[in-house]
Amino acid sequence: MRWLPAFYVAGILVLEPLTPVQWPVSFLLIALPVVAAYAHPPVGVAAIAAFAVVFEGVLAGTPCCAGRMVGHLWDRHYVGAYVCTALVGVLGTIMAAHRTRRERTLASVRSVAETAQRVLLRPVPRRLGRISMEALYLSAAAEARIGGDLYEAVPTAHGVRLLIGDVRGKGLLAVETAATMLGAFREAAYDEPDLAGVAHRVEQSMSRRAALLPGSEAAERFVTAVFAEVPDHEPLVRIVNCGHPPPLRLGPDGVTELDSADPALPINLGILLGDGYRVDVEPFHPGDRLLLYTDGVTETRDPTGSFYPLTERIRAWATLPPRELLDHLHQDLLAYSSGSLDDDIAALAAYRLPDEPRG
């Protein structure tokens, strides 16, 4: 974009000798300040406008450039072109100043969004005990950087505890709900001795927060979530599913959906049925991979409207390390949707490292 004014002038120089003398095209330079306003600062646009006026005079009155006599320099229509170019130069300078101010504002908003993302969705450690971890997060609003999907991984005395969730709704309301959910999990994950207790504690925190809101908002603040726990010295994973898409286990036997026989209601709706969270125990051996994801993955559509078949397509990358697995998933989602992802997407990939040889 910065080179666009130069290309524009070059195009005029090519056209000018090709047109008859009575058909000058130097008046096209009137638009040059507007072209420059797309990428240059106000001072630069003003300088380019001055150059355009001078260059119009050169084309009008220099025989070597256009074959015209010097007497045409002050012809009425040329003088009108000079005045119009100067006026457009003033407008272009104002446009450039406005654009520069908007760019600074956007940069400030992006900085705030990135800071908020680092606070809410901290980068997961790549190694937690015997677990290798990686995360993927894509916001549907490209400039927002953060949305309603959330994830977390913390090492505790009970093993590595994982959370992935999807807040109902979008915007600031969803971000605030995600912040409450993550704060509650980060506290409960260390204190509660069992995974059902973690889910119950998070439910209580979310319910207390919702009780402070107006009636309609309180009913809408719920989160689908999966809580997972990987003990350090047991080849298994414990899962509590609260109305969320089931995790996938990728192992030598293929891809397995770890669906719960009795999933709980989403967080902040469990109060409707009282306490009680089913803990499902599944094998998770060294060399296995665990993928937790939000419904933005499985609800991605291709141009015909078909949903993304995650279980089928991920088989091709089931043996990859977590980072490469998520990178392939990201690229495949973009290709499947023709580059238009309409929902927030979050995913956690956990790889149980092989046991270290004794001695």
Side-chain angles (χ1 to χ4, degrees), residues 60-297:
T62 306
C64 66
C65 293
R68 297 180 177 85
M69 299 303 295
V70 178
H72 290 284
L73 180 65
W74 300 109
D75 282 2
R76 183 170 55 187
H77 62 280
Y78 283 111
V79 173
Y82 307 154
V83 173
C84 289
T85 304
L87 291 175
V88 173
V90 173
L91 294 176
T93 302
I94 295 172
M95 289 172 56
H98 180 66
R99 192 205 79 242
T100 302
R101 186 166 55 251
R102 292 287 298 271
E103 286 177 349
R104 291 197 188 106
T105 302
L106 180 58
S108 177
V109 170
R110 283 178 172 172
S111 177
V112 171
E114 288 171 355
T115 301
Q117 185 181 36
R118 285 194 295 269
V119 172
L120 289 180
L121 301 177
R122 301 177 301 198
V124 297
R126 291 190 171 182
R127 177 79 177 265
L128 293 173
R130 302 299 304 153
I131 304 298
S132 174
M133 294 287 307
E134 290 289 351
L136 171 69
Y137 185 86
L138 302 172
S139 175
E143 303 301 339
R145 305 295 177 98
I146 53 178
D149 287 7
L150 56 98
Y151 62 81
E152 184 58 290
V154 294
T156 73
H158 315 287
V160 176
R161 284 179 168 172
L162 312 175
L163 166 68
I164 196 159
D166 187 358
V167 180
R168 181 196 180 278
K170 305 291 182 185
L172 292 177
L173 186 67
V175 173
E176 183 183 354
T177 305
T180 303
M181 178 89 171
L182 286 168
F185 174 76
R186 286 165 182 163
E187 288 296 321
Y190 291 101
D191 298 338
E192 295 297 328
D194 62 88
L195 197 60
V198 174
H200 178 64
R201 176 102 163 259
V202 172
E203 173 77 40
Q204 287 183 319
S205 296
M206 294 290 290
S207 298
R208 282 196 300 268
R209 173 62 181 165
L212 301 176
L213 302 173
S216 60
E217 289 191 17
E220 295 177 356
R221 292 214 182 184
F222 63 85
V223 186
T224 66
V226 165
F227 301 86
E229 177 183 280
V230 182
D232 293 332
H233 304 294
E234 296 179 83
L236 56 86
V237 57
R238 301 184 181 96
I239 297 172
V240 171
N241 193 323
C242 300
H244 197 78
L248 298 181
R249 184 183 66 234
L250 316 177
D253 55 346
V255 180
T256 306
E257 271 195 0
L258 306 182
D259 207 354
S260 175
D262 185 22
L265 289 176
I267 298 296
N268 204 32
L269 295 182
I271 194 172
L272 300 177
L273 295 180
D275 298 335
Y277 293 93
R278 176 190 176 95
V279 178
D280 296 295
V281 181
E282 301 285 351
F284 189 48
H285 297 285
D288 287 351
R289 292 154 181 81
L290 183 69
L291 180 68
L292 288 75
Y293 57 93
T294 58
D295 59 7
V297 174

